[in-house]
Amino acid sequence: MRERLTDGLYGLGWSAVKTLPEPAARTLGRTVADLAWRRRGKGVQRLEANLARVVPDADPERLRALSRAGMRSYLRYWMESFRLPAWSKDRIRGGFDPEDVHYLVEGLAAGRGVILALPHMGNYDLAGAWVTTTLETPFTTVAERLKPETLYDRFVAYREGLGMEVLPHTGAAAFGTLARRLRAGGLVCLVADRDLSARGVEVEFFGEKTRMPAGPAMLAQQTGALLLPVTLWYDDSPVMHGRVHPPIGIPEGDGRAYRTGVMTQALADAYASGIAEHPEDWHMLQRLWLADLVPRRDADGAGAAPGELPGTPGPGELPGIPGPGGLPGAAGAAETPGTETP
């Protein structure tokens, strides 16, 4: 029943919201965001806790203001995503204004393959649609299967309709396909600021330890592809903004683990620079830092259920919505892509 309800809600969103005039959709998104923010559910509380690390000098009043802006940004993402299939090519081209996109264009022109690695910021679907429309460049990403299957199928069909190739998240098989696309000079886009497997690369992020997926760094090493961090943000206009950061090189040094660690830390640093400038557009409503992922004990002294990653969002933390920009889940270093889909 819950799965059918979740699928039905998404279906209603795509069918109803995309028919609204754009001002009405924006107003609806703000209204839903403000309602969720006033309820102060677990997602909003976790967002504020995460923002407290990003803006450590913020007092409670500023954190509340940031979390409200964050929820509005999060719902703007959803309203845009529901409406994207109805946008014209001109609307897509005018809806995103990236800086330093020459890194991407030059990398593709060189024929070496390019990996775009993003944190949970802004609207990855819009950025992806801009790439396929404005640059006329298809790209490949991965998506973890989720239940109900009909919901997974909706997401895949939606993204394929925007010009993306979506691979099922099947560990080594997906990694191999991504590597082939890159060796052929193609483009791969991966969301890579949160590792859900407990086997990712440990990095320093806003002064504390967390884990991030190894996949982008490992793909770059194996294929020679250019690895480019990207950050996204909104302002008060209808246009989303973004920045393609300088390439992350493969460091000198023995051992793939060492090189992967250095490159993943460089990704984390690029993400942090963008998030610090636009904290309200980082849609992280889940636990991220290792200090928050310590298994919690219930009243009977029992730990988390087998196979459960402590700190992942549970039922009721924003009704059944997967992580912004994509489907939930990420493989770790052992499963290699180690990334979420944008």
Side-chain angles (χ1 to χ4, degrees):
M1 176 63 73
R2 179 182 175 83
E3 291 178 358
R4 290 198 300 271
L5 176 61
T6 299
D7 183 50
L9 287 171
Y10 279 103
L12 179 64
W14 266 307
S15 62
V17 175
K18 72 179 180 182
T19 65
L20 292 174
E22 198 156 327
R26 286 198 299 267
T27 299
L28 176 61
R30 280 190 161 223
T31 300
V32 173
D34 288 349
L35 285 172
W37 178 76
R38 282 195 291 269
R39 284 181 57 200
R40 291 197 58 78
K42 291 181 180 179
V44 174
Q45 294 178 49
R46 176 47 49 190
L47 177 62
E48 283 188 13
N50 291 337
L51 289 170
R53 274 144 162 147
V54 174
V55 191
D57 59 344
D59 59 23
E61 183 177 356
R62 187 181 178 199
L63 282 177
R64 289 276 284 160
L66 278 174
S67 69
R68 184 178 191 179
M71 292 303 296
R72 288 182 170 185
S73 174
Y74 184 38
L75 266 295
R76 175 173 172 175
Y77 158 78
W78 281 106
M79 294 298 107
E80 286 181 349
S81 293
F82 286 142
R83 292 176 51 77
L84 262 178
W87 281 15
S88 68
K89 289 185 177 181
D90 285 343
R91 177 67 182 89
I92 291 171
R93 292 188 188 104
F96 181 40
D97 182 23
E99 301 172 8
D100 295 327
V101 75
H102 66 90
Y103 289 122
L104 170 58
V105 173
E106 292 165 2
L108 291 171
R112 61 182 294 190
V114 176
I115 305 160
L116 297 179
L118 307 88
H120 284 80
M121 290 186 80
N123 186 339
Y124 327 111
D125 291 328
L126 173 54
W130 185 90
V131 167
T132 60
T133 301
T134 304
L135 302 184
E136 298 182 341
T137 301
F139 65 87
T140 304
T141 187
V142 295
E144 183 185 8
R145 286 197 174 274
L146 78 166
K147 294 182 179 181
E149 286 286 328
T150 52
L151 179 56
Y152 171 80
D153 292 340
R154 283 183 190 273
F155 272 100
V156 171
Y158 161 65
R159 290 188 169 91
E160 288 179 343
L162 297 175
M164 311 174 193
E165 179 189 20
V166 182
L167 304 177
H169 194 291
T170 51
F175 186 88
T177 302
L178 294 172
R180 286 193 294 274
R181 299 290 185 269
L182 291 167
R183 290 193 187 98
L187 175 63
V188 164
C189 300
L190 301 167
V191 177
D193 62 340
R194 181 171 181 253
D195 183 85
L196 302 182
S197 69
R199 293 185 298 275
V201 179
E202 190 170 295
V203 296
E204 190 88 6
F205 194 54
F206 289 103
E208 293 190 44
K209 298 291 186 182
T210 187
R211 286 184 296 266
M212 292 188 181
M218 293 177 69
L219 281 167
Q221 292 175 70
Q222 185 161 320
T223 67
L226 196 68
L227 177 55
L228 298 174
V230 177
T231 52
L232 308 171
W233 66 92
Y234 291 122
D235 58 17
D236 292 332
S237 77
V239 179
M240 182 178 72
H241 300 272
R243 176 179 300 117
V244 181
H245 295 253
I248 293 175
I250 299 174
E252 299 289 337
D254 294 331
R256 186 173 66 172
Y258 167 78
R259 293 191 296 271
T260 300
V262 172
M263 295 172 74
T264 306
Q265 181 63 62
L267 275 177
D269 293 343
Y271 297 160
S273 69
I275 292 167
E277 290 179 2
H278 307 280
E280 67 277 10
D281 293 310
W282 186 43
H283 304 150
M284 187 56 66
L285 280 70
Q286 300 85 22
R287 289 177 172 83
L288 180 75
W289 281 273
L290 298 186
D292 295 333
L293 296 176
V294 175
R296 292 169 296 171
R297 299 278 173 175
D298 60 26
D300 298 323
E308 177 186 348
L309 178 67
T312 53
E317 295 186 31
L318 285 180
I321 295 179
L327 309 174
E335 296 172 296
T336 47
T339 50
E340 295 179 68
T341 179

